[in-house]
Amino acid sequence: MRIALILLFLLALASVPGSIFPQRGTSPLRVNEFLKDNPTSGPILDRLYMFDVFASPWFASIYLLLFISLTGCVLPRALEHFKEMRSQPPVAPKNLSRLPAHIQWQSSAAVAKVVSETSTAWKKRGWRVRQGEDWLSAEKGYSRETGNLVFHLALLVLLIAVGFGGAVGYRGTVIVREDSGFANNVTQYDTFAPGRMFGADELPPFSFELKEFAATFQRGGQQNGAPREFRAELMVKDNPSVEPRPVTVEVNHPLRTSGITVYLVGHGYAPEFTIRDESGKVVWEDASIFLPQDSAFTSSGVIKVPDTVPQLGIQGFFLPTVSEDFSNGPVSKFPAADNPEVYISAWQGDLGLDSGMPQSVYRLDTENMKRIGIEELAPGDTWNLPNSGGTLEFTGYRKWASFVITKDPGKGWALGAAIASIVGLSLSLLIPRRRAWLRVTASGNGGNLIEVAGLSKTEAPGLADEISQLAKLVNAPEENNDR
Amino acid sequence: MTVNETLAQASNAMVYGAMTAFTGAMVAFSISLAKGRRLETLEESAQRSSSSYQVRKGSTATLDKPAVSTSVSDGQDRGEGRRAGNIGLALTWLGTILIGSALLFRGLSAGRPPIGNMYEFSLAAGFAVALTYCLMSISRDLRWLGVFIAIPVLLDLGLALAVLYTDSAQLVPALNSYWLAIHVSAAVVCLGAFTIGAALSGLYLVAQTAEDRVVAGKEPGRSAAIAQRIPSADRLDLMSYRIHAFMFPIWTFAVIAGAIWAEAAWGRYWGWDPKETWAFITWVIYAAYLHARATAGWRGKKAAYVAIAGYAAILFNYFIVNIYVQGLHSYSGL
Ligand code: HEM
């Protein structure tokens, strides 16, 4: 018990740095930033696992020790409790009047009758009763200990379920544009994080198409622009051989199919451009994903056109509701596409795609490129690209939504264990464990002294009450001494 | 759907009304406390509890058949303080009803549960503290505790209005779920009851210190000024324990409900988000408190410090994590 107590304190203490330093598991970018800003302390902290607290060996050793001590404590107690449940309540102490609750009175009722009738009555109220010649001993509240054992066992199960689910499952993210689709295989994910024991054949063959994404925002007031509703309309094929079915996915309402869950986590805009070379041939026609930079969805992105000579690169901003002045740069003033514009620059030269280094699709490497112009365009506008004879048409925009897709086979077990732990905990903290006794002693002149007494093995209130209730069930009226 | 401004303004007015009521309650309860006396002297309580735990259990009075329910006495004689205490209690009820209505109107004004930002959460927490106190004082005399409840409620409401205030508005999609009502209201109820638990543990420390000094033959000291006006140390300890033991399963439920919601909203049921981490820390500290109470050498003052540390973790999670730490739980509205 003392060891468990110390380990509990250690566990609480060990979690603290996990909330102070950024953690790789949840915010890898902020970890990199931290390391850049703190070149001396950063690496030391890193070596101490301060950015991976919950996956660190020292955190694991604390909870493993805790669970070993738990097992070592629970198993013997479970055995003992099992024995106790099958044995009889202990006999009454000699002097009942020294117990915390004690009631006595004179009666002329027959001893055997009092004892046997009381026994029946007490049993009916849920007490386990042991009967002697002129006494009863009774006990109640075994489920307190049962609950306690259930609770601690449930914690063990919970830990195993968490570990198992993490090892066998996976988590991936993907961005899908309106009127485009996604098929569930590893290459289609933008990021994919499998558990240690994950096998790629565990990806169920489902696919979906994003038909429409709708977002609404607060208009006016202190919270102008705050999001109010996000909704993604999908056509889902649970496997290649079935007809697609329509499904609406919202925040808090994920899609669940064949063991995986699809969550809507983000959204943005994908402006559509058509780019032609000097002969009028289309060299680019697509909607490119632009990433939101602020809460008004000023979005930035790039386009790389490798097939022209020299190569062409476009970078800039999509502004869903363009603001009147650009004194702080081109910005949007509202997240909905009320008055969309793009503000872009065009570059000529070498995109650097052949260097062999993997490139981000969201960044233009302008080292070997020359800027040829900047332009602001509304939908339908065409820009005659300077120095090239080609044109760029801003034809409109589509929306995109990002999804997190997960599989966690331990989830159900974890939930079951969590529910069991609450039930166990409630029993263990709220059920009073009590003992009660009845004794009938001959007190000369033909009468009997009846005593009812009890004690509480826990700190639950109401013992006096309960004992006087038990006394009322003793079918031996108080004697009228005047007679 | 738009926000009904009239209802939102009525709600604000009620919060001011509640603050007035609690200010009155604080004054009345202070007078009542100053005039109250415990039935036992410090010496008597100290003697009774310095003889061991076991023996103390054996010293309870004998009951007579057919004794009716004996309500537990807190060992308090309010005597002259009774009138002031009653006024304090009435004002507390009034203030509680006012905060409750303020919450109701706030919810009606935006057509959603009124627990969507820190301002509303603070109102709800003040309501939970006050209501728990009111309900508890129906079956026992808790006038001595009143001032220790009125002050935190006042602080909470003042902070809500002065620092955390946010206009009534609809929810962001992440919060738009029935789990908001389940998870957050469970958390609020716990916050309220744990506040009372922490107050009792603090008072226990005061009383125990005074009794310890008496046993050691020293002057009771400054702690005696309060200790003489509240129940005995062992009684306070027991009350505090009962609240914590009753609330711990509900706190567990609040955390698990949060995990279920996180599973539906963020794609994982536990991700060590700072708020989750501190919920976990709080949970572990309260678990440690329950363990400490059952471990020889830890019950008494040490356990009370653990309970207070648990409450400090709750406050940290509410004020520091909500406002200063980046995480998925950034809904403070500030
Ligand atoms: C593992 C999951 C979660 C845990 C352990 C957790 C923990 C907590 C705790 C301890 C509080 C108590 C209030 C306090 O002391 O500040 C709280 C409040 C709150 N939680 Fe969670 N939570 C979880 C998931 C969620 C999710 C998924 C959401 C919503 C998308 C959410 C939204 C809120 C809100 C709105 C509040 C109260 C408002 C506020 O503090 O400003 N929680 N949570």
Side-chain angles (χ1 to χ4, degrees):
Chain A
M1 197 72 169
R2 174 149 316 154
I3 295 177
L5 188 59
I6 292 169
L7 289 170
L8 278 174
F9 282 130
L10 275 180
L11 193 62
L13 207 63
S15 321
V16 175
S19 72
I20 294 176
F21 298 109
Q23 298 295 298
R24 282 215 173 79
T26 44
S27 35
L29 295 178
R30 282 177 49 220
V31 174
N32 289 343
E33 231 169 82
F34 189 97
L35 286 173
K36 226 188 281 160
D37 297 345
N38 303 278
T40 41
S41 60
I44 302 176
L45 291 172
D46 201 9
R47 189 139 335 139
L48 296 174
Y49 294 93
M50 286 301 164
F51 308 114
D52 300 282
V53 168
F54 304 106
S56 70
W58 48 266
F59 192 79
S61 51
I62 295 172
Y63 72 72
L64 285 180
L65 280 177
L66 188 59
F67 278 88
I68 291 170
S69 96
L70 186 68
T71 322
C73 175
V74 162
L75 289 184
R77 258 178 63 186
L79 279 180
E80 196 179 309
H81 180 53
F82 184 70
K83 270 189 240 151
E84 206 180 34
M85 295 240 293
R86 296 161 28 121
S87 62
Q88 299 257 7
V91 285
K94 276 206 191 80
N95 191 349
L96 287 185
S97 67
R98 293 199 48 182
L99 290 170
H102 178 250
I103 302 171
Q104 64 178 38
W105 69 95
Q106 293 285 334
S107 167
S108 54
V111 178
K113 188 164 172 273
V114 172
V115 171
S116 73
E117 282 180 5
T118 308
S119 167
T120 321
W122 285 10
K123 275 183 191 154
K124 248 193 217 149
R125 288 190 57 139
W127 290 73
R128 169 168 315 169
V129 181
R130 172 174 176 188
Q131 190 171 340
E133 203 178 314
D134 54 1
W135 54 269
L136 290 179
S137 84
E139 183 154 1
K140 192 174 100 160
Y142 292 83
S143 51
R144 181 184 184 90
E145 181 73 2
T146 311
N148 192 289
L149 293 170
V150 166
F151 168 69
H152 286 96
L153 281 175
L155 288 187
L156 281 175
V157 175
L158 185 65
L159 185 75
I160 295 168
V162 171
F164 167 76
V168 195
Y170 70 89
R171 180 184 181 87
T173 59
V174 60
I175 292 183
V176 183
R177 286 165 295 175
E178 280 174 331
D179 298 322
S180 303
F182 166 83
N184 195 26
N185 67 61
V186 176
T187 55
Q188 293 232 346
Y189 284 97
D190 296 331
T191 67
F192 189 77
R196 237 164 300 159
M197 287 151 64
F198 170 80
D201 49 326
E202 287 184 45
L203 289 172
F206 94 108
S207 62
F208 67 80
E209 196 185 330
L210 177 60
K211 284 292 174 199
E212 193 200 337
F213 178 82
T216 54
F217 301 93
Q218 168 92 28
R219 290 184 185 270
Q222 194 187 21
Q223 302 199 8
N224 186 34
R228 290 298 170 231
E229 192 199 14
F230 299 140
R231 194 161 35 80
E233 306 288 355
L234 310 182
M235 289 302 281
V236 176
K237 280 178 90 158
D238 296 303
N239 65 63
S241 54
V242 298
E243 285 298 301
R245 62 188 172 103
V247 176
T248 304
V249 175
E250 290 172 83
V251 180
N252 283 314
H253 296 281
L255 156 68
R256 296 180 196 273
T257 170
S258 27
I260 60 164
T261 319
V262 181
Y263 303 89
L264 174 63
V265 292
H267 66 105
Y269 294 97
E272 286 177 304
F273 297 99
T274 305
I275 302 175
R276 295 184 169 82
D277 64 12
E278 63 269 24
S279 67
K281 194 181 88 185
V282 173
V283 291
W284 172 271
E285 183 170 29
D286 203 359
S288 337
I289 290 165
F290 276 39
L291 298 181
Q293 307 295 312
D294 59 25
S295 57
F297 277 73
T298 304
S299 307
S300 81
V302 305
I303 299 167
K304 299 175 186 180
V305 188
D307 299 337
T308 55
V309 189
Q311 290 179 326
L312 183 66
I314 307 289
Q315 80 179 0
F317 296 98
F318 175 84
L319 314 169
T321 303
V322 66
S323 64
E324 291 79 19
D325 86 293
F326 281 4
S327 48
N328 296 320
V331 287
S332 167
K333 63 177 185 184
F334 196 78
D338 293 343
N339 182 15
E341 272 193 8
V342 289
Y343 186 85
I344 51 175
S345 57
W347 298 70
Q348 255 179 356
D350 180 5
L351 288 168
L353 293 177
D354 307 325
S355 69
M357 294 279 281
Q359 265 198 8
S360 161
V361 292
Y362 301 111
R363 274 200 49 218
L364 195 63
D365 179 3
T366 55
E367 200 174 319
N368 298 312
M369 302 192 89
K370 197 175 96 234
R371 188 160 70 185
I372 54 173
I374 297 186
E375 194 58 276
E376 195 180 336
L377 302 170
D381 286 354
T382 300
W383 179 22
N384 293 318
L385 293 170
N387 279 343
S388 86
T391 59
L392 176 148
E393 185 184 356
F394 173 34
T395 50
Y397 66 90
R398 282 195 258 161
K399 282 173 272 182
W400 57 259
S402 59
F403 299 91
V404 163
I405 302 181
T406 65
K407 180 172 182 177
D408 181 353
K411 215 150 66 176
W413 284 95
L415 181 62
I419 292 171
S421 80
I422 296 187
V423 173
L425 199 54
S426 311
L427 290 176
S428 141
L429 287 170
L430 305 178
I431 298 267
R433 178 93 184 253
R434 281 177 185 146
R435 288 190 178 148
W437 290 278
L438 165 82
R439 183 177 284 143
V440 190
T441 350
S443 59
N445 60 31
N448 292 317
L449 177 70
I450 300 200
E451 285 176 283
V452 175
L455 67 82
S456 188
K457 297 186 74 186
T458 62
E459 298 181 272
L463 173 72
D465 232 2
E466 178 121 31
I467 295 303
S468 71
Q469 295 289 340
L470 284 184
K472 278 187 204 152
L473 292 174
V474 178
N475 191 10
E478 221 163 331
E479 215 158 66
N480 189 341
N481 290 329
D482 300 342
R483 198 163 12 141
Chain B
M1 199 190 129
T2 55
V3 171
N4 183 324
E5 292 300 334
T6 321
L7 292 179
Q9 272 157 21
S11 166
N12 293 353
M14 287 174 196
V15 178
Y16 283 103
M19 286 192 72
T20 315
F22 278 106
T23 311
M26 179 180 69
V27 173
F29 278 136
S30 309
I31 295 171
S32 165
L33 184 71
K35 291 189 174 165
R37 277 284 172 277
R38 68 159 93 177
L39 287 179
E40 268 177 352
T41 63
L42 285 174
E43 287 78 1
E44 285 165 344
S45 314
Q47 261 161 22
R48 188 166 44 73
S49 53
S50 68
S51 37
S52 93
Y53 211 60
Q54 284 317 38
V55 178
R56 197 180 90 222
K57 277 188 167 171
S59 63
T60 315
T62 307
L63 299 164
D64 293 318
K65 202 202 177 186
V68 255
S69 148
T70 47
S71 84
V72 211
S73 148
D74 286 325
Q76 279 298 293
D77 175 18
R78 301 257 52 93
E80 303 164 42
R82 220 181 172 82
R83 275 256 319 267
N86 283 342
I87 295 174
L89 208 52
L91 284 171
T92 304
W93 273 105
L94 176 67
T96 309
I97 292 167
L98 279 172
I99 319 182
S101 330
L103 276 169
L104 184 70
F105 274 55
R106 182 93 176 176
L108 289 176
S109 81
R112 60 174 174 80
I115 34 183
N117 52 50
M118 273 187 84
Y119 171 68
E120 292 166 354
F121 196 71
S122 299
L123 288 192
F127 180 64
V129 176
L131 187 67
T132 312
Y133 172 77
C134 286
L135 294 180
M136 282 171 63
S137 65
I138 290 177
S139 54
R140 28 183 120 46
D141 181 357
L142 289 183
R143 280 169 276 219
W144 52 272
L145 184 61
V147 66
F148 304 102
I149 298 308
I151 290 175
V153 171
L154 264 178
L155 284 177
D156 170 71
L157 294 182
L159 213 63
L161 280 175
V163 183
L164 304 174
Y165 184 78
T166 323
D167 279 344
S168 182
Q170 270 138 52
L171 294 172
V172 295
L175 292 184
N176 199 350
S177 160
Y178 56 89
W179 284 105
L180 175 72
I182 300 174
H183 163 67
V184 182
S185 56
V188 166
V189 168
C190 291
L191 183 54
F194 282 142
T195 304
I196 296 182
L200 287 168
S201 281
L203 289 174
Y204 158 76
L205 286 173
V206 173
Q208 186 67 60
T209 307
E211 289 178 19
D212 286 349
R213 291 181 69 96
V214 169
V215 170
K218 295 190 221 152
E219 279 293 299
R222 261 182 303 159
S223 44
I226 293 182
Q228 275 162 355
R229 293 170 166 82
I230 56 178
S232 63
D234 57 349
R235 180 83 205 129
L236 288 166
D237 184 41
L238 191 61
M239 288 178 76
S240 174
Y241 169 74
R242 282 186 189 148
I243 288 206
H244 285 108
F246 187 78
M247 293 317 290
F248 188 67
I250 302 179
W251 175 242
T252 310
F253 170 77
V255 174
I256 290 173
I260 297 175
W261 187 9
E263 195 280 325
W266 300 329
R268 85 288 186 292
Y269 57 86
W270 196 271
W272 298 108
D273 178 75
K275 188 87 172 212
E276 294 169 5
T277 305
W278 277 91
F280 174 75
I281 292 173
T282 309
W283 190 81
V284 169
I285 297 179
Y286 279 124
Y289 167 73
L290 296 177
H291 282 84
R293 285 271 323 188
T295 304
W298 271 85
R299 55 173 77 98
K301 278 186 161 185
K302 279 187 198 158
Y305 284 121
V306 180
I308 291 172
Y311 189 63
I314 291 195
L315 291 185
F316 186 90
N317 202 2
Y318 187 50
F319 289 110
I320 309 297
V321 174
N322 272 5
I323 301 176
Y324 297 108
V325 182
Q326 270 191 41
L328 292 166
H329 270 86
S330 304
Y331 304 118
S332 63
L334 295 176

